[in-house]
Amino acid sequence: MNALAAIRATLCAALMTGASACALAMPDRIHYRADASSEAASAAIEAPSDHFIGLALSGGGSRSAVFATAAMEALAEHGLLDQVTHISSVSGGGFAGAYYLLNQPADETEFDAFRTAMRGDLFADVVSGQLTSPNRLTSPTRRLSSLQEGLDERITQGATFADLPAAPVWFINASRYDDGRRFVFSNMTLDDERRSDGPLAHDALRAASFSAPGCARPTPADFPLSLAIATSAAFPVAFGPSTFEASADCDGRQVRYWHLGDGGVIENLGVETLEEVALRGHEAGTLSGPVIIFSFDAELNTPAERFFDDGDLSIWTSAPGRIVDVAGLRGRAYHDLAWAQVWEARGVAAAFIHMRYTHARLSQEWPASCRDGAGALEARIADIPTSLRITDCHADLMERAAHAIVHERLNAAHDALSELGVSYRTVQPHTLAQP
């Protein structure tokens, strides 16, 4: 026991009359320890080599989870969901990703259950976890356990990476605070070898994973899905970071501690990991076909005019995620320019279909769940907060927006995608399923 731990233990023993006092003395926890046996138990999967169809599920809490669910249902109506080879999620997008991969909904009844699950009140689960485990109250790294338990109760049911299907491949994105790299949990191996040249030569542009130089490996088979998703959603300072102990070499003699949090701190769409994996495949010669990425974007991104027109500083204190939004807007602009040049330089046929909830064209008929419905639907949708809970009114609006934008964009892109070898059904407006 080190000196700090001894002091904590002494303090806790001296103050046994109050659980909250002992909670103050509790150390932050290590959430997962990877040893040689757990890493060796992981079985890497092979991705399809003739085509790449990626699905990016953005961050945005329950708003994102509901949007992604309805958008996947719309893809299924077009006959596209079964063709997806890779899924990448950030934060709340991982809630929907987990449910889909573990349950594989195929018809309207199963999607009904999917939508209901995404409306669950994870915030209440977190609060309950805090109240029943007071040692978590003073530390965001321990509070993360309450979110993990809520995800296990409502979505993952104790599943680990060993329980994932072989296809589609899943990437869960986090941020490694130690060195500013994306960290990816996946049932697919991502090696950590540095390229001598090209866009992945710099460490910061490559995703980190459980792989070490010279030793490529996927996320350990016994790693809890709920912990990976909770880490991806661990927005500071409310939750996290999570801490993992893992080997930094192939023989396990060098131990490192990784501190991971919300993937949206680096890239909130989940697109960069899909692009990196596709580029790796083309560079290695294991992928020969076109690259198609469907991006379901439920980021908040409050318009700048909202801030310019309001002198009350409370607008900032009520929207702490604005700092991430500002960084993301600039970073995304540079990223789009750079990656377009990468695909063009390599002669790779690529298509990026971006579907954002605030871009949906909606009728002005309010859902019955919005009892106070007034004004423009678009304004209400733009103000849906980022949270671990969502009202029925907001969920109905997000589902409506998802169906509208997916059908609109896919119908418009039918000819272009057909040229890339993607075959799917167009859906006429009068036959759209009502979410």
Side-chain angles (χ1 to χ4, degrees), residues 59 99 142 264 292:
Y99 188 98
R142 284 182 264 121
I292 298 98

Side-chain angles (χ1 to χ4, degrees), residues 61-429:
S62 294
R63 180 186 64 246
S64 174
V66 169
F67 181 70
T69 300
M72 282 192 278
E73 183 178 24
L75 279 187
E77 292 174 4
H78 283 272
L80 269 172
L81 190 57
D82 289 341
Q83 299 183 50
V84 170
T85 60
H86 301 74
I87 295 176
S88 176
S89 66
V90 183
S91 190
F95 307 168
Y99 188 98
Y100 172 72
L101 288 164
L102 292 174
N103 296 278
Q104 298 285 313
D107 56 33
E108 184 176 352
T109 299
E110 292 175 347
F111 269 102
D112 286 344
F114 190 178
R115 290 195 300 271
T116 298
M118 293 304 101
R119 294 179 182 224
D121 192 345
L122 273 170
F123 180 80
D125 296 338
V126 170
V127 171
S128 175
Q130 313 290 54
L131 294 177
T132 56
S133 301
N135 66 320
R136 299 175 183 173
L137 291 173
T138 59
S139 168
T141 67
R142 284 182 264 121
R143 287 199 294 269
L144 189 68
S145 297
S146 297
L147 176 56
Q148 180 186 352
E149 290 167 2
L151 289 167
D152 253 335
E153 176 70 24
R154 292 186 180 273
I155 300 173
T156 56
Q157 303 295 312
T160 68
F161 274 78
D163 298 309
L164 289 175
V169 178
W170 191 18
F171 308 108
I172 304 173
N173 296 277
S175 299
R176 192 159 71 183
Y177 295 159
D178 309 286
D179 57 2
R181 292 177 67 182
R182 275 179 295 119
F183 187 95
V184 176
F185 304 94
S186 181
N187 50 349
M188 176 181 175
T189 297
L190 291 176
D191 70 67
D192 200 26
E193 296 297 327
R194 179 179 299 182
R195 271 51 176 184
S196 59
D197 58 8
L200 299 180
H202 196 287
D203 286 349
L205 297 178
R206 296 194 323 277
S209 68
F210 278 89
S211 293
C215 187
R217 54 201 173 204
T219 300
D222 67 346
F223 197 94
L225 290 178
S226 58
L227 178 55
I229 301 165
T231 297
S232 179
F235 188 81
V237 292
F239 299 106
S242 58
T243 304
F244 303 149
E245 179 183 304
S247 57
D249 51 19
C250 294
D251 56 17
R253 286 184 289 185
Q254 183 181 9
V255 174
R256 287 289 179 89
Y257 296 95
W258 300 328
H259 305 92
L260 311 180
D262 190 349
V265 171
I266 292 179
E267 200 267 326
N268 202 32
L269 289 181
V271 170
E272 283 191 22
T273 296
L274 294 174
E275 291 175 322
E276 178 182 341
V277 171
L279 179 59
R280 285 171 181 255
H282 272 281
E283 287 182 337
T286 57
L287 175 64
S288 58
V291 176
I292 298 98
I293 295 176
F294 301 112
S295 171
F296 295 158
D297 179 3
E299 293 182 300
L300 190 58
N301 285 344
T302 304
E305 289 74 15
R306 174 78 177 274
F307 295 88
F308 285 134
D309 295 339
D310 197 325
D312 186 353
L313 289 180
S314 66
I315 192 174
W316 278 95
T317 57
S318 63
R322 181 63 178 173
I323 296 174
V324 175
D325 293 342
V326 171
L329 290 171
R330 184 176 179 84
R332 188 70 208 170
Y334 277 105
H335 169 270
D336 290 346
L337 176 63
W339 279 97
Q341 294 174 342
V342 166
W343 296 124
E344 183 177 353
R346 284 162 173 72
V348 177
F352 177 69
I353 311 297
H354 181 227
M355 291 170 277
R356 177 167 170 75
Y357 71 108
T358 55
H359 294 166
R361 293 184 293 183
L362 303 174
S363 70
Q364 294 302 306
E365 181 182 353
W366 287 84
S369 56
C370 299
R371 298 179 180 178
D372 60 341
L377 288 176
E378 291 79 7
R380 173 68 70 86
I381 289 177
D383 281 339
I384 296 175
T386 302
S387 176
L388 294 176
R389 60 164 47 135
I390 190 168
T391 67
D392 285 338
C393 170
H394 288 165
D396 287 342
L397 290 173
M398 290 301 295
E399 289 175 2
R400 182 182 294 184
H403 279 264
I405 194 67
V406 171
H407 290 305
E408 175 188 335
R409 293 294 166 83
L410 290 184
N411 286 342
H414 185 267
D415 292 343
L417 290 175
S418 294
E419 291 180 3
L420 297 178
V422 180
S423 177
Y424 62 96
R425 299 185 297 272
T426 56
V427 179
Q428 299 304 316

